[in-house]
Amino acid sequence: MADSTTHHGALMDGIYRRQRLIYDVTRKYYLLGRDHLIDQMHPEPSAHILEIACGTGRNLDLIDRRYPGRVLYGVDISSEMLINARNKLGTRASFAQGDACAFDPETLFGQARFDHIVMSYSLSMIPDWQAAIAEALRHLEPGGTLHIVDFGDQARLPRWFKAGLRNWLARFHVTPRDGLADMLSVQTGVEVTFLPLYRGYAQYARVTKTPA
C-alpha cells in the first residue's frame, strides 16, 4: 500500500506541478456539476465538512462563501495541489496530505468523523475508487452525507462525443466510473440518491449514512 500510495502521489505531483497554476481557470469548462453538489449540501451551522482530494481548494472556498462559519478540512495526495489550496483559503480551512484510500483524519486534523464529505471529480482519478468510497463512509458521522460528483457514462450524448471525451481523459489518467450507481446501490447502512447530469456527462450521488 505504501509503495502504491507513494507512486500515485508522485504521479499526481508530476501532472499538477504546472497545471495547478491554470487548473481553476481551465477546469470550470468541463468539470460540470460541482456547483450543483454545493447547492445540495445545506450543512448545519456547526457542520464539519471534509473534501477528499480537495485539489486547489476551489470547492471548499465556494462552500465557505455559500455556508460561512462551517469547519472545513481538505486532504489531497498531491503536495503541489495543496500549495494552491492553502494559498486560496489560508486559515479558513485545515489541509493535510493523505491517500483517499487510507488516511487517519484524527491524526491529521484532530477530528475523527465529519457531517459532510465531498468527493468532486476525484474517483475518476483514484485507481481503487471503491476503496476510496469505503474509506469516506468510514469517516462519516451517523446521519452524515457523502456527496459525489464525477464524469458520468455519457449515455445520452452522441457516441463520437463520448469516444472523444474518454480518449482525451485517458491522457490525464482519468477514467469515468460507469459502475458508480451499481456500486452504491448494494451498500448497506446508507440511503442513496443518484442523478445523471447534463445528459449523462456527469453523475451526482448523495449517500447518507443511516443513524445507528
Side-chain angles (χ1 to χ4, degrees), residues 78-123:
S78 170
S79 59
E80 293 291 331
M81 292 298 256
L82 288 173
I83 293 172
N84 283 42
R86 291 186 173 110
N87 288 341
K88 189 188 302 290
L89 282 105
T91 60
R92 291 185 290 139
S94 300
F95 294 100
Q97 188 173 13
D99 182 357
C101 298
F103 66 97
D104 180 1
E106 191 160 21
T107 298
L108 296 176
F109 303 118
Q111 180 72 24
R113 293 186 175 183
F114 304 88
D115 303 294
H116 295 267
I117 295 179
V118 172
M119 302 186 79
S120 170
Y121 284 91
S122 55
L123 294 178

Short mmCIF file of all heavy atoms in Angstrom, two decimals, residues 78-123:
data_model
loop_
_atom_site.label_atom_id
_atom_site.label_comp_id
_atom_site.label_asym_id
_atom_site.label_seq_id
_atom_site.Cartn_x
_atom_site.Cartn_y
_atom_site.Cartn_z
N SER A 78 -1.62 15.04 -3.46
CA SER A 78 -0.65 15.87 -4.16
C SER A 78 -0.23 17.07 -3.32
O SER A 78 -1.04 17.95 -3.02
CB SER A 78 -1.23 16.36 -5.49
OG SER A 78 -0.39 17.35 -6.07
N SER A 79 1.04 17.12 -2.99
CA SER A 79 1.56 18.28 -2.25
C SER A 79 1.50 19.54 -3.10
O SER A 79 1.37 20.66 -2.58
CB SER A 79 2.99 18.01 -1.79
OG SER A 79 3.84 17.75 -2.90
N GLU A 80 1.60 19.36 -4.43
CA GLU A 80 1.54 20.52 -5.33
C GLU A 80 0.18 21.20 -5.27
O GLU A 80 0.08 22.42 -5.20
CB GLU A 80 1.86 20.08 -6.76
CG GLU A 80 3.29 19.62 -6.98
CD GLU A 80 4.29 20.76 -6.89
OE1 GLU A 80 3.92 21.91 -7.19
OE2 GLU A 80 5.45 20.49 -6.51
N MET A 81 -0.89 20.40 -5.31
CA MET A 81 -2.24 20.98 -5.27
C MET A 81 -2.51 21.65 -3.92
O MET A 81 -3.21 22.67 -3.85
CB MET A 81 -3.28 19.90 -5.55
CG MET A 81 -3.25 19.37 -6.97
SD MET A 81 -3.61 20.65 -8.20
CE MET A 81 -5.29 20.20 -8.64
N LEU A 82 -1.95 21.10 -2.87
CA LEU A 82 -2.18 21.68 -1.55
C LEU A 82 -1.54 23.06 -1.41
O LEU A 82 -1.99 23.87 -0.58
CB LEU A 82 -1.65 20.73 -0.46
CG LEU A 82 -2.48 19.47 -0.25
CD1 LEU A 82 -1.77 18.52 0.72
CD2 LEU A 82 -3.88 19.80 0.27
N ILE A 83 -0.52 23.34 -2.21
CA ILE A 83 0.05 24.69 -2.20
C ILE A 83 -1.03 25.69 -2.59
O ILE A 83 -1.23 26.72 -1.92
CB ILE A 83 1.25 24.78 -3.17
CG1 ILE A 83 2.41 23.92 -2.68
CG2 ILE A 83 1.69 26.24 -3.33
CD1 ILE A 83 3.55 23.81 -3.68
N ASN A 84 -1.76 25.40 -3.67
CA ASN A 84 -2.84 26.28 -4.10
C ASN A 84 -3.94 26.38 -3.06
O ASN A 84 -4.46 27.46 -2.78
CB ASN A 84 -3.44 25.76 -5.41
CG ASN A 84 -2.59 26.08 -6.62
OD1 ASN A 84 -1.37 25.95 -6.56
ND2 ASN A 84 -3.21 26.47 -7.72
N ALA A 85 -4.32 25.23 -2.50
CA ALA A 85 -5.42 25.21 -1.53
C ALA A 85 -5.10 26.07 -0.31
O ALA A 85 -5.94 26.86 0.14
CB ALA A 85 -5.71 23.78 -1.11
N ARG A 86 -3.90 25.93 0.19
CA ARG A 86 -3.52 26.72 1.38
C ARG A 86 -3.43 28.20 1.04
O ARG A 86 -3.83 29.05 1.85
CB ARG A 86 -2.19 26.20 1.93
CG ARG A 86 -2.29 24.81 2.55
CD ARG A 86 -0.98 24.40 3.22
NE ARG A 86 -1.14 23.14 3.95
CZ ARG A 86 -0.59 21.99 3.58
NH1 ARG A 86 0.15 21.94 2.47
NH2 ARG A 86 -0.77 20.90 4.29
N ASN A 87 -2.91 28.51 -0.14
CA ASN A 87 -2.84 29.93 -0.55
C ASN A 87 -4.23 30.53 -0.72
O ASN A 87 -4.47 31.69 -0.40
CB ASN A 87 -2.06 30.06 -1.86
CG ASN A 87 -0.57 29.82 -1.67
OD1 ASN A 87 -0.05 29.91 -0.55
ND2 ASN A 87 0.14 29.53 -2.76
N LYS A 88 -5.17 29.71 -1.23
CA LYS A 88 -6.51 30.21 -1.51
C LYS A 88 -7.32 30.44 -0.23
O LYS A 88 -8.02 31.45 -0.10
CB LYS A 88 -7.26 29.22 -2.41
CG LYS A 88 -8.60 29.72 -2.95
CD LYS A 88 -9.36 28.63 -3.67
CE LYS A 88 -8.59 28.03 -4.82
NZ LYS A 88 -8.44 28.94 -5.97
N LEU A 89 -7.25 29.50 0.70
CA LEU A 89 -8.14 29.57 1.87
C LEU A 89 -7.46 30.05 3.15
O LEU A 89 -8.15 30.45 4.09
CB LEU A 89 -8.79 28.20 2.12
CG LEU A 89 -9.94 27.92 1.18
CD1 LEU A 89 -9.55 26.92 0.11
CD2 LEU A 89 -11.17 27.43 1.92
N GLY A 90 -6.15 30.00 3.22
CA GLY A 90 -5.48 30.45 4.43
C GLY A 90 -5.97 29.71 5.65
O GLY A 90 -6.01 28.48 5.67
N THR A 91 -6.39 30.45 6.66
CA THR A 91 -6.85 29.84 7.91
C THR A 91 -8.32 29.44 7.88
O THR A 91 -8.85 28.96 8.89
CB THR A 91 -6.62 30.81 9.09
OG1 THR A 91 -7.35 32.03 8.85
CG2 THR A 91 -5.14 31.13 9.24
N ARG A 92 -8.99 29.61 6.75
CA ARG A 92 -10.41 29.26 6.67
C ARG A 92 -10.63 27.75 6.59
O ARG A 92 -11.76 27.27 6.71
CB ARG A 92 -11.06 29.94 5.47
CG ARG A 92 -11.18 31.45 5.61
CD ARG A 92 -11.94 32.04 4.45
NE ARG A 92 -11.19 31.98 3.20
CZ ARG A 92 -11.71 31.66 2.03
NH1 ARG A 92 -13.00 31.34 1.92
NH2 ARG A 92 -10.96 31.65 0.94
N ALA A 93 -9.57 26.98 6.36
CA ALA A 93 -9.68 25.52 6.28
C ALA A 93 -8.36 24.91 6.75
O ALA A 93 -7.31 25.55 6.68
CB ALA A 93 -10.01 25.07 4.87
N SER A 94 -8.45 23.67 7.20
CA SER A 94 -7.26 22.90 7.57
C SER A 94 -6.96 21.89 6.47
O SER A 94 -7.88 21.21 5.99
CB SER A 94 -7.48 22.17 8.90
OG SER A 94 -7.76 23.08 9.94
N PHE A 95 -5.69 21.77 6.08
CA PHE A 95 -5.31 20.88 4.99
C PHE A 95 -4.22 19.91 5.43
O PHE A 95 -3.39 20.23 6.30
CB PHE A 95 -4.80 21.69 3.79
CG PHE A 95 -5.85 22.54 3.14
CD1 PHE A 95 -5.92 23.89 3.42
CD2 PHE A 95 -6.77 21.98 2.28
CE1 PHE A 95 -6.89 24.69 2.83
CE2 PHE A 95 -7.76 22.77 1.69
CZ PHE A 95 -7.80 24.12 1.96
N ALA A 96 -4.23 18.73 4.80
CA ALA A 96 -3.20 17.74 5.07
C ALA A 96 -3.03 16.85 3.85
O ALA A 96 -3.97 16.65 3.07
CB ALA A 96 -3.56 16.90 6.29
N GLN A 97 -1.83 16.31 3.69
CA GLN A 97 -1.57 15.37 2.60
C GLN A 97 -1.96 13.97 3.05
O GLN A 97 -1.64 13.55 4.17
CB GLN A 97 -0.10 15.41 2.21
CG GLN A 97 0.23 14.60 0.96
CD GLN A 97 1.67 14.79 0.51
OE1 GLN A 97 2.49 15.33 1.24
NE2 GLN A 97 1.97 14.35 -0.70
N GLY A 98 -2.68 13.25 2.19
CA GLY A 98 -3.10 11.91 2.53
C GLY A 98 -3.69 11.18 1.35
O GLY A 98 -4.09 11.80 0.36
N ASP A 99 -3.74 9.87 1.46
CA ASP A 99 -4.27 8.99 0.41
C ASP A 99 -5.76 8.79 0.65
O ASP A 99 -6.17 8.39 1.76
CB ASP A 99 -3.53 7.66 0.47
CG ASP A 99 -3.96 6.67 -0.60
OD1 ASP A 99 -4.89 6.99 -1.36
OD2 ASP A 99 -3.39 5.58 -0.65
N ALA A 100 -6.58 9.02 -0.35
CA ALA A 100 -8.03 8.89 -0.22
C ALA A 100 -8.45 7.50 0.22
O ALA A 100 -9.52 7.33 0.82
CB ALA A 100 -8.71 9.25 -1.53
N CYS A 101 -7.64 6.50 -0.07
CA CYS A 101 -8.00 5.11 0.25
C CYS A 101 -7.60 4.69 1.66
O CYS A 101 -8.05 3.64 2.13
CB CYS A 101 -7.37 4.15 -0.76
SG CYS A 101 -7.92 4.41 -2.46
N ALA A 102 -6.77 5.48 2.32
CA ALA A 102 -6.31 5.10 3.67
C ALA A 102 -5.70 6.32 4.35
O ALA A 102 -4.56 6.69 4.09
CB ALA A 102 -5.29 3.98 3.58
N PHE A 103 -6.49 6.97 5.20
CA PHE A 103 -5.97 8.11 5.95
C PHE A 103 -6.65 8.17 7.31
O PHE A 103 -7.75 7.64 7.51
CB PHE A 103 -6.18 9.42 5.19
CG PHE A 103 -7.63 9.83 5.01
CD1 PHE A 103 -8.22 10.74 5.86
CD2 PHE A 103 -8.39 9.29 3.97
CE1 PHE A 103 -9.55 11.10 5.70
CE2 PHE A 103 -9.72 9.67 3.79
CZ PHE A 103 -10.30 10.57 4.66
N ASP A 104 -5.99 8.81 8.25
CA ASP A 104 -6.49 8.90 9.62
C ASP A 104 -6.77 10.37 9.92
O ASP A 104 -5.86 11.12 10.28
CB ASP A 104 -5.46 8.34 10.60
CG ASP A 104 -5.94 8.41 12.06
OD1 ASP A 104 -7.07 8.88 12.30
OD2 ASP A 104 -5.17 8.00 12.94
N PRO A 105 -8.02 10.82 9.79
CA PRO A 105 -8.31 12.24 9.99
C PRO A 105 -8.10 12.71 11.43
O PRO A 105 -7.83 13.89 11.66
CB PRO A 105 -9.78 12.36 9.58
CG PRO A 105 -10.35 10.99 9.77
CD PRO A 105 -9.23 10.06 9.44
N GLU A 106 -8.20 11.78 12.39
CA GLU A 106 -7.98 12.18 13.78
C GLU A 106 -6.52 12.57 13.99
O GLU A 106 -6.21 13.54 14.69
CB GLU A 106 -8.37 11.06 14.74
CG GLU A 106 -8.40 11.51 16.18
CD GLU A 106 -9.23 10.60 17.06
OE1 GLU A 106 -9.45 9.43 16.68
OE2 GLU A 106 -9.65 11.05 18.14
N THR A 107 -5.61 11.83 13.34
CA THR A 107 -4.20 12.19 13.41
C THR A 107 -3.92 13.46 12.62
O THR A 107 -3.16 14.34 13.06
CB THR A 107 -3.33 11.05 12.86
OG1 THR A 107 -3.52 9.89 13.67
CG2 THR A 107 -1.85 11.42 12.87
N LEU A 108 -4.53 13.58 11.44
CA LEU A 108 -4.27 14.73 10.57
C LEU A 108 -4.90 16.01 11.08
O LEU A 108 -4.29 17.09 10.99
CB LEU A 108 -4.80 14.43 9.16
CG LEU A 108 -4.16 13.28 8.39
CD1 LEU A 108 -4.87 13.07 7.06
CD2 LEU A 108 -2.68 13.53 8.17
N PHE A 109 -6.13 15.91 11.60
CA PHE A 109 -6.90 17.11 11.94
C PHE A 109 -7.40 17.17 13.38
O PHE A 109 -7.95 18.19 13.79
CB PHE A 109 -8.13 17.21 11.02
CG PHE A 109 -7.82 17.23 9.56
CD1 PHE A 109 -8.27 16.21 8.72
CD2 PHE A 109 -7.09 18.26 8.99
CE1 PHE A 109 -8.01 16.23 7.36
CE2 PHE A 109 -6.81 18.29 7.62
CZ PHE A 109 -7.27 17.26 6.82
N GLY A 110 -7.30 16.05 14.11
CA GLY A 110 -7.91 16.01 15.43
C GLY A 110 -9.41 15.86 15.36
O GLY A 110 -10.12 16.17 16.32
N GLN A 111 -9.92 15.37 14.24
CA GLN A 111 -11.35 15.19 14.01
C GLN A 111 -11.56 13.82 13.38
O GLN A 111 -11.06 13.54 12.29
CB GLN A 111 -11.89 16.28 13.09
CG GLN A 111 -13.37 16.20 12.78
CD GLN A 111 -14.25 16.57 13.96
OE1 GLN A 111 -13.82 17.29 14.87
NE2 GLN A 111 -15.48 16.09 13.95
N ALA A 112 -12.29 12.94 14.07
CA ALA A 112 -12.42 11.56 13.60
C ALA A 112 -13.51 11.38 12.54
O ALA A 112 -13.36 10.58 11.62
CB ALA A 112 -12.69 10.63 14.78
N ARG A 113 -14.62 12.14 12.67
CA ARG A 113 -15.75 11.96 11.75
C ARG A 113 -16.29 13.32 11.32
O ARG A 113 -16.07 14.33 11.99
CB ARG A 113 -16.86 11.13 12.42
CG ARG A 113 -16.47 9.68 12.67
CD ARG A 113 -17.65 8.89 13.18
NE ARG A 113 -17.33 7.46 13.32
CZ ARG A 113 -18.20 6.54 13.69
NH1 ARG A 113 -19.46 6.88 13.98
NH2 ARG A 113 -17.84 5.28 13.80
N PHE A 114 -17.02 13.28 10.20
CA PHE A 114 -17.47 14.52 9.58
C PHE A 114 -18.95 14.44 9.23
O PHE A 114 -19.48 13.37 8.94
CB PHE A 114 -16.64 14.79 8.32
CG PHE A 114 -15.17 14.83 8.58
CD1 PHE A 114 -14.42 13.66 8.55
CD2 PHE A 114 -14.55 16.02 8.92
CE1 PHE A 114 -13.06 13.68 8.82
CE2 PHE A 114 -13.19 16.05 9.20
CZ PHE A 114 -12.44 14.87 9.15
N ASP A 115 -19.60 15.59 9.25
CA ASP A 115 -21.03 15.66 8.92
C ASP A 115 -21.26 15.59 7.42
O ASP A 115 -22.28 15.06 6.96
CB ASP A 115 -21.63 16.95 9.48
CG ASP A 115 -21.42 17.08 10.97
OD1 ASP A 115 -22.00 16.26 11.72
OD2 ASP A 115 -20.65 17.97 11.39
N HIS A 116 -20.32 16.13 6.66
CA HIS A 116 -20.39 16.08 5.20
C HIS A 116 -19.00 15.78 4.67
O HIS A 116 -18.01 16.34 5.15
CB HIS A 116 -20.87 17.42 4.62
CG HIS A 116 -22.27 17.78 4.98
ND1 HIS A 116 -23.35 17.47 4.17
CD2 HIS A 116 -22.77 18.41 6.06
CE1 HIS A 116 -24.46 17.90 4.75
NE2 HIS A 116 -24.14 18.47 5.89
N ILE A 117 -18.95 14.90 3.67
CA ILE A 117 -17.70 14.62 2.96
C ILE A 117 -17.97 14.81 1.47
O ILE A 117 -18.98 14.33 0.95
CB ILE A 117 -17.19 13.20 3.25
CG1 ILE A 117 -16.81 13.07 4.74
CG2 ILE A 117 -15.99 12.86 2.37
CD1 ILE A 117 -16.30 11.70 5.14
N VAL A 118 -17.07 15.50 0.81
CA VAL A 118 -17.20 15.82 -0.61
C VAL A 118 -16.12 15.07 -1.41
O VAL A 118 -14.95 15.07 -1.02
CB VAL A 118 -17.06 17.34 -0.84
CG1 VAL A 118 -17.01 17.67 -2.33
CG2 VAL A 118 -18.20 18.09 -0.16
N MET A 119 -16.54 14.46 -2.51
CA MET A 119 -15.60 13.85 -3.47
C MET A 119 -15.98 14.36 -4.85
O MET A 119 -16.96 13.89 -5.45
CB MET A 119 -15.64 12.33 -3.39
CG MET A 119 -15.33 11.79 -2.02
SD MET A 119 -15.21 9.98 -1.93
CE MET A 119 -13.55 9.75 -2.61
N SER A 120 -15.24 15.32 -5.35
CA SER A 120 -15.58 16.01 -6.58
C SER A 120 -14.54 15.72 -7.66
O SER A 120 -13.39 16.12 -7.54
CB SER A 120 -15.66 17.52 -6.32
OG SER A 120 -15.76 18.24 -7.52
N TYR A 121 -14.96 15.00 -8.70
CA TYR A 121 -14.07 14.64 -9.81
C TYR A 121 -12.76 14.04 -9.30
O TYR A 121 -11.68 14.35 -9.80
CB TYR A 121 -13.83 15.84 -10.72
CG TYR A 121 -15.02 16.10 -11.61
CD1 TYR A 121 -16.05 16.97 -11.22
CD2 TYR A 121 -15.15 15.43 -12.83
CE1 TYR A 121 -17.16 17.17 -12.02
CE2 TYR A 121 -16.25 15.63 -13.64
CZ TYR A 121 -17.25 16.50 -13.23
OH TYR A 121 -18.35 16.70 -14.04
N SER A 122 -12.88 13.20 -8.29
CA SER A 122 -11.71 12.52 -7.72
C SER A 122 -11.74 11.02 -7.98
O SER A 122 -10.70 10.42 -8.25
CB SER A 122 -11.63 12.79 -6.22
OG SER A 122 -12.84 12.41 -5.57
N LEU A 123 -12.92 10.40 -7.93
CA LEU A 123 -13.00 8.95 -8.11
C LEU A 123 -12.46 8.53 -9.46
O LEU A 123 -11.87 7.45 -9.59
CB LEU A 123 -14.44 8.48 -7.95
CG LEU A 123 -15.06 8.63 -6.56
CD1 LEU A 123 -16.50 8.16 -6.58
CD2 LEU A 123 -14.26 7.85 -5.52
#
